[in-house]
Amino acid sequence: MSSTTPRFAALAGVAAAAAAIGTAELVAALTGPRSSPLVAVGGLVVDTAPEPVKRFGIEVFGSYDKIALLVGTALLLGGFAALLGMLAVRRLTVGLAGIVVFGGIGAAAALTRAGADAADVLPSLVGAAVGGLALWAFVAGPLELDPWPWSPPTPAGPPPATGPAVAAPDPDSVATSEGTGGTASRSTASAESPPVPGSPVPGRPPVPGGPGRRVDPDSRRRFLTGVGTVLGVAAVGGVAGRWLAGRQGVSAAREAITLPAPVSAAPPVPAGADLAQPGLASYVTSNRSFYRIDTALVVPQVDPATWQLRIHGRVRNPVTLSYADLLARPMVERYVTLACVSNEVGGDLIGNACWLGVPIRELLDEVGPLDGADQVVGRSVDGWTCGTPTAVLRDGRDALLAVGMNGEPLPVQHGFPVRMVVPGLYGYVSACKWITELELTSFADFDAYWVPRGWSAQGPVKTQSRIDTPRPRNRPAAGPVTVAGVAWAQHRGIDRVEVRVDEGPWQEAQLAPTISVDTWVQWSWQWPATPGEHTLQVRATDSTGETQTGETRGVAPDGATGWHSVTLTVS
């Protein structure tokens, strides 16, 4: 493939990688979406990436961090594939070895996923085989670029005289001397004007690999058509694979579920709990708007017909429940606000919803925890774990194994068919989605997923408050301006919210009604705004009398602290 420029070589590598990924996605439709090499490698990156990198991803991309990771992985793969293409031009075995390495990494990553089996390596292996075949086709096979076809020019002048055969002059030994009609030896001409290495020489084809190399136009068209075809087929294969995987999902099973009526319904939202102020978060967060932060790059599809919850470990009476068993138990309905430990001061990784579920306290009472079992480990179907203090789950708060959210079965992305909801704890120590196990153990014996990664073993929610309106981009007019936001201290409740302007005296805001201490509360304050630039700050005090600290601290290891501030210009 001596006529291939680096640009064409890189294109060949990218096309081969696309063929590998598209094929792998199709095969993954049969073996499960989590066996896709992109997803498997991405999951391995999530598990092994340094904690500051993860925090950066959440801070920058929020709920779109997983999409950003998959796009970034695809871009890195494209760069790697382009490099392999350029290396394969010089030595095909090097390019093929790179594809083998890629397939091996994907297969190994797939085997690290919870519940993986031997079939999960098939997408990576089959994809690598197809990618290798495509690379060969572009580099040394039927789609290889050919050099420009050249034939010697026909000499000018009369036909050669008949007579004894005379050897043709060596074109390297003769050159026409322009302007004199004479001849000069090649060596003499070279001495006067040495040719640039690799440059075109009159009467000769362009030197392969040099500045004058040229590609046969028909070969170029064949190559580019092949690249376009491979990229198109790969795109169709990838989309088809994703679509087929989605068809195997559980949306239909979810829609067929009728939730039981609760034996203890949630109290109605009191009048005035939602101030309906423009820019202010609504008191009840819709399922569509509820934040999602977890480690699952592909949302687990758990069939409720086969789902089971195993409660075991340091208990007297281990038990296994089916989904039907759980739905047959008495249900309670409660509004609970959930917050992510990665929520920065003033962030939006928080939401309030109405949850339907079985009290975890009752289940623990039935299995009978043994002495020393101070931790309940919730384990997701994808292997993720959280560790919740046993005492918190038995202290009377409405900790639930939830099956419903805002009047409908749990959305798949929020943990269908069953998840944990625990008021007063950050999600990383309590809100296990797609839960399949509750294991009684101790904090001394087991560290849940985030603990070895630098987070605290126990994560009670800190007292926090946020200004929702006005926002920095707003330019309110001078005069009365409504400042409003939300505050929360789940399972303690908010007793007071205060606002100040330009570090002046704190002014008490008015609290809206709320359902319980387990939800956030809206607040508002009328500000007599004056023209100019101003900075607003807010702080809250919980029902224990503890006022939110003004010390600014990041989210690690157990939640951010500080006062939320907004700087804006009053016109």
Side-chain angles (χ1 to χ4, degrees), residues 18-35:
I21 292 299
T23 302
E25 290 294 337
L26 273 176
V27 178
L30 302 176
T31 58
R34 295 173 64 233
S35 64

Side-chain angles (χ1 to χ4, degrees), residues 157 226 246 316 326 350 364 376 433 450 463 475 548 553:
R316 296 182 182 86
L326 201 64
I350 180 170
L364 294 181
V376 177
K433 302 173 186 174
W450 285 112
T463 301
R475 295 179 64 89
Q548 178 183 348
R553 199 178 70 180

Side-chain angles (χ1 to χ4, degrees), residues 266-274 283-284 335 352 513-515:
V269 176
D274 199 325
Y283 182 72
V284 178
Y335 283 94
N352 183 45
T514 186
I515 290 179

Side-chain angles (χ1 to χ4, degrees), residues 254-328:
R254 176 181 175 272
E255 292 171 0
I257 291 172
T258 300
L259 294 175
V263 297
S264 175
V269 176
D274 199 325
L275 299 176
Q277 183 72 22
L280 176 62
S282 60
Y283 182 72
V284 178
T285 309
S286 69
N287 292 356
R288 181 180 295 273
S289 301
F290 208 93
Y291 78 95
R292 179 198 163 200
I293 296 292
D294 50 57
T295 62
L297 291 182
V298 175
V299 177
Q301 306 287 317
V302 184
D303 187 350
T306 59
W307 176 87
Q308 289 186 327
L309 176 70
R310 182 180 173 218
I311 308 177
H312 64 109
R314 296 166 67 171
V315 298
R316 296 182 182 86
N317 307 303
V319 66
T320 299
L321 300 173
S322 67
Y323 189 66
D325 293 334
L326 201 64
L327 292 185

Side-chain angles (χ1 to χ4, degrees), residues 258-545:
T258 300
L259 294 175
V263 297
S264 175
V269 176
D274 199 325
L275 299 176
Q277 183 72 22
L280 176 62
S282 60
Y283 182 72
V284 178
T285 309
S286 69
N287 292 356
R288 181 180 295 273
S289 301
F290 208 93
Y291 78 95
R292 179 198 163 200
I293 296 292
D294 50 57
T295 62
L297 291 182
V298 175
V299 177
Q301 306 287 317
V302 184
D303 187 350
T306 59
W307 176 87
Q308 289 186 327
L309 176 70
R310 182 180 173 218
I311 308 177
H312 64 109
R314 296 166 67 171
V315 298
R316 296 182 182 86
N317 307 303
V319 66
T320 299
L321 300 173
S322 67
Y323 189 66
D325 293 334
L326 201 64
L327 292 185
R329 300 179 69 94
M331 297 269 173
V332 301
E333 187 181 52
R334 296 291 184 268
Y335 283 94
V336 176
T337 295
L338 299 184
C340 181
V341 71
S342 296
N343 198 34
E344 297 283 355
V345 172
D348 60 359
L349 300 181
I350 180 170
N352 183 45
C354 183
W355 308 92
L356 174 72
V358 173
I360 298 176
R361 178 186 66 256
E362 296 178 1
L363 294 172
L364 294 181
D365 289 345
E366 291 179 18
V367 298
L370 298 174
D371 292 342
D374 59 3
Q375 178 179 212
V376 177
V377 175
R379 185 168 283 105
S380 172
V381 68
D382 64 357
W384 185 84
T385 56
C386 66
T388 311
T390 307
V392 168
L393 297 176
R394 306 182 76 185
D395 68 0
R397 72 184 69 195
D398 291 313
L400 304 176
L401 278 179
V403 298
M405 181 179 183
N406 288 332
E408 61 183 66
L410 284 173
V412 178
Q413 67 269 25
H414 289 300
F416 179 82
V418 185
R419 67 169 294 167
M420 282 179 66
V421 172
V422 182
L425 297 181
Y426 286 120
Y428 83 104
V429 297
S430 67
C432 185
K433 302 173 186 174
W434 312 290
I435 191 168
T436 187
E437 285 185 42
L438 288 175
E439 181 182 3
L440 277 291
T441 181
S442 70
F443 284 101
D445 293 337
F446 183 83
D447 288 334
Y449 182 91
W450 285 112
V451 177
R453 293 164 172 83
W455 298 82
S456 297
Q458 302 188 35
V461 172
K462 291 179 167 58
T463 301
Q464 287 285 349
S465 54
R466 187 182 77 195
I467 299 171
D468 283 1
T469 183
R471 300 178 186 272
R473 64 176 179 270
N474 299 147
R475 295 179 64 89
V481 173
T482 299
V483 182
V486 289
W488 59 91
Q490 291 95 307
H491 207 58
R492 300 185 305 279
I494 295 295
D495 188 58
R496 185 170 68 255
V497 171
E498 299 167 290
V499 184
R500 70 176 180 179
V501 182
D502 300 330
E503 298 188 357
W506 290 102
Q507 307 290 329
E508 187 166 352
Q510 182 176 0
L511 299 181
T514 186
I515 290 179
S516 74
V517 295
D518 289 337
T519 75
W520 60 8
V521 59
Q522 294 186 355
W523 57 266
S524 63
W525 176 67
Q526 294 301 312
W527 172 35
T530 57
E533 186 175 273
H534 300 283
T535 298
L536 305 174
Q537 288 181 300
V538 63
R539 70 180 184 184
T541 301
D542 65 28
S543 62
T544 69

Side-chain angles (χ1 to χ4, degrees), residues 5-7 9-10 13 81-91:
T5 64
R7 178 182 59 185
L83 177 61
L84 281 184
M86 290 186 284
L87 293 175
V89 171
R90 297 179 178 272
R91 183 169 295 180

